[in-house]
Amino acid sequence: MNIHVLMQPVQNLLHTFLDNIETLILVAAILLMTGTLAWIIKRGFNRFIERSSGEMAVDPTNYKFMQHALVGLVYVTGISFAIYLIPPLSHIAGSLIAGAGILAVAVGFASQQALGNIISGLFIVIYKPYRINDRVTIRTDLRGVVEDINLRHTIIRNFENQRIIIPNSLIGNEVLVNSNYLDVMICRFIEVGVSYTSDVDRAKEIMAEEILNHPENIDTRKPKDIEEGVPPVTVRLITLSDSSVILRGWAWAADAHKAFVMGCDLLESIKKRFDTEGIVIPFPQRTISYLNGGDSAQGAGQGTAGDRKEAEL
């Protein structure tokens, strides 16, 4: 077989490549510029948010969402333009434009969920049911701090440093608890049960003293309350349960994190004060009676004191 016949496909491919070398270089340059511009936008927004958070405590929610939107727009524009410059793909683009109506319907159905997430994310940024750095609780078991709100997801960092990624359309329809919405101060309920034989008044005094002496506790009384002699800490008896008297103290802290730490400290200090002053905190007890020897039916109905042993748990 003639060597020229074998080399003909290679030569045709080489000529095609040389003819389109300028186009390929232009496409590569556009993609490089796209990536560079996206990096500059991300870097610029991140530096602005870091500087603003330190100086003016600016809410970063809007800026982060705008960053994601601009970066996405840059990538879509740059890649679309690069594809259009490639001759084989430009013909495909022309054919797609000719059937734009059918394509629009197909894309609409295919991207319905994605568009729903984008629109939901836009509504979240506008109405702000939560913001970046807010402490939220979802479905009573998902707790954490909002780390980011992008075009598709909301990212929440829980207290084990794991990321919970929730689609915007889903979280937009959920009932959530926001500890930072409008007012960041938190009231922590300090509930302790004491026995019926303990001095309830003294137990209330101890709880009030421990709450008042904690460094994170905040006095929320207004001047009028102080004039009227309202105590700085309120402790009330709220329940008479089966085996204990439940006391509740109201302790206020500057934010949810400090309230959690304060709650843990107060439970420990109150327990130690109760132990020192003879206030009993009851715990569940069970008495088990069981029979030994004899007929099981007779033993079940006529067990004597000698046959019966008791164990208290």
Side-chain angles (χ1 to χ4, degrees), residues 65 113-115 117-118 149-154 166-169:
F65 191 84
Q113 186 175 4
L115 291 176
N117 287 326
I118 294 174
I149 304 172
N150 58 38
L151 296 178
R152 184 172 173 80
H153 299 102
T154 292
I166 307 175
N168 290 330
S169 59

Side-chain angles (χ1 to χ4, degrees), residues 61-76 111-125 130 132 148-155 165-171:
T61 304
N62 293 344
Y63 299 107
K64 292 290 287 185
F65 191 84
M66 190 182 302
Q67 171 191 345
H68 294 306
L70 288 178
V71 169
L73 181 62
V74 167
Y75 276 120
V76 170
S111 61
Q112 181 178 4
Q113 186 175 4
L115 291 176
N117 287 326
I118 294 174
I119 294 173
S120 297
L122 184 61
F123 284 156
I124 289 171
V125 171
Y130 56 87
I132 292 177
D148 195 5
I149 304 172
N150 58 38
L151 296 178
R152 184 172 173 80
H153 299 102
T154 292
I155 302 174
I165 302 173
I166 307 175
N168 290 330
S169 59
L170 181 61
I171 195 173

Side-chain angles (χ1 to χ4, degrees), residues 24-46:
L24 294 176
I25 293 175
L26 182 59
V27 169
I30 290 174
L31 294 176
L32 181 61
M33 291 175 60
T34 300
T36 303
L37 181 59
W39 181 84
I40 292 174
I41 292 174
K42 291 171 65 176
R43 180 67 174 172
F45 269 94
N46 288 336

Side-chain angles (χ1 to χ4, degrees), residues 188-196 198-200 203-204 206-208 210-211 235-241 243-250 263-275 279-283:
R188 184 80 174 186
F189 291 157
I190 309 299
E191 294 187 1
V192 182
V194 299
S195 67
Y196 278 91
S198 297
D199 188 343
V200 174
K204 291 168 62 177
I206 293 173
M207 292 180 63
E210 292 301 318
I211 294 174
V235 179
R236 298 187 186 279
L237 191 157
I238 60 170
T239 305
L240 297 175
S241 65
S243 59
S244 62
V245 176
I246 307 300
L247 306 178
R248 173 186 291 177
W250 281 257
C264 297
D265 292 344
L266 288 175
L267 290 176
E268 181 178 353
S269 63
I270 291 171
K271 168 66 168 60
K272 291 178 179 179
R273 284 285 304 277
F274 280 4
D275 291 344
I279 305 296
V280 178
I281 299 177
F283 53 89

Side-chain angles (χ1 to χ4, degrees), residues 4-306:
H4 295 289
V5 176
L6 294 175
M7 293 297 295
Q8 190 64 36
V10 178
Q11 292 176 355
N12 293 338
L13 182 61
L14 182 61
H15 286 307
T16 302
F17 177 77
L18 293 176
D19 292 339
N20 297 319
I21 186 67
E22 294 182 359
T23 302
L24 294 176
I25 293 175
L26 182 59
V27 169
I30 290 174
L31 294 176
L32 181 61
M33 291 175 60
T34 300
T36 303
L37 181 59
W39 181 84
I40 292 174
I41 292 174
K42 291 171 65 176
R43 180 67 174 172
F45 269 94
N46 288 336
R47 294 192 64 180
F48 174 76
I49 292 171
E50 291 175 1
R51 189 182 305 113
S52 300
S53 299
E55 297 175 357
M56 300 175 289
V58 173
D59 177 21
T61 304
N62 293 344
Y63 299 107
K64 292 290 287 185
F65 191 84
M66 190 182 302
Q67 171 191 345
H68 294 306
L70 288 178
V71 169
L73 181 62
V74 167
Y75 276 120
V76 170
T77 304
I79 294 174
S80 299
F81 190 53
I83 290 176
Y84 182 77
L85 291 178
I86 301 175
L89 298 181
S90 64
H91 296 300
I92 297 175
S95 301
L96 292 176
I97 293 174
I102 300 175
L103 179 63
V105 175
V107 171
F109 280 112
S111 61
Q112 181 178 4
Q113 186 175 4
L115 291 176
N117 287 326
I118 294 174
I119 294 173
S120 297
L122 184 61
F123 284 156
I124 289 171
V125 171
I126 293 175
Y127 294 104
K128 292 183 173 62
Y130 56 87
R131 307 180 184 189
I132 292 177
N133 296 325
D134 279 4
R135 190 184 184 113
V136 298
T137 301
I138 305 170
R139 298 178 182 175
T140 70
D141 59 342
L142 300 178
R143 298 181 178 86
V145 177
V146 178
E147 190 171 64
D148 195 5
I149 304 172
N150 58 38
L151 296 178
R152 184 172 173 80
H153 299 102
T154 292
I155 302 174
I156 298 174
R157 184 185 72 252
N158 67 11
F159 304 119
E160 297 176 348
N161 203 36
Q162 299 171 329
R163 269 59 179 182
I164 304 171
I165 302 173
I166 307 175
N168 290 330
S169 59
L170 181 61
I171 195 173
N173 294 322
E174 287 288 341
V175 177
L176 59 88
V177 178
N178 188 342
S179 300
N180 299 92
Y181 194 81
L182 298 181
D183 188 0
V184 297
M185 280 205 313
I186 296 293
C187 180
R188 184 80 174 186
F189 291 157
I190 309 299
E191 294 187 1
V192 182
V194 299
S195 67
Y196 278 91
T197 59
S198 297
D199 188 343
V200 174
D201 292 332
R202 182 53 185 158
K204 291 168 62 177
E205 291 176 2
I206 293 173
M207 292 180 63
E209 291 172 2
E210 292 301 318
I211 294 174
L212 185 61
N213 294 331
H214 196 280
E216 299 294 348
N217 179 66
I218 297 177
D219 188 352
T220 59
R221 293 178 299 171
K222 298 178 181 178
K224 183 179 179 181
D225 297 330
I226 297 176
E227 292 178 1
E228 294 178 353
V230 176
V233 176
T234 301
V235 179
R236 298 187 186 279
L237 191 157
I238 60 170
T239 305
L240 297 175
S241 65
D242 293 339
S243 59
S244 62
V245 176
I246 307 300
L247 306 178
R248 173 186 291 177
W250 281 257
W252 286 86
D255 54 47
H257 173 70
K258 292 180 179 179
F260 174 78
V261 176
M262 180 179 63
C264 297
D265 292 344
L266 288 175
L267 290 176
E268 181 178 353
S269 63
I270 291 171
K271 168 66 168 60
K272 291 178 179 179
R273 284 285 304 277
F274 280 4
D275 291 344
T276 301
E277 302 201 21
I279 305 296
V280 178
I281 299 177
F283 53 89
Q285 298 184 19
R286 298 291 183 270
T287 299
I288 301 175
S289 299
Y290 57 95
L291 305 178
N292 291 332
D295 180 54
S296 59
Q298 180 181 2
Q302 303 178 3
T304 63

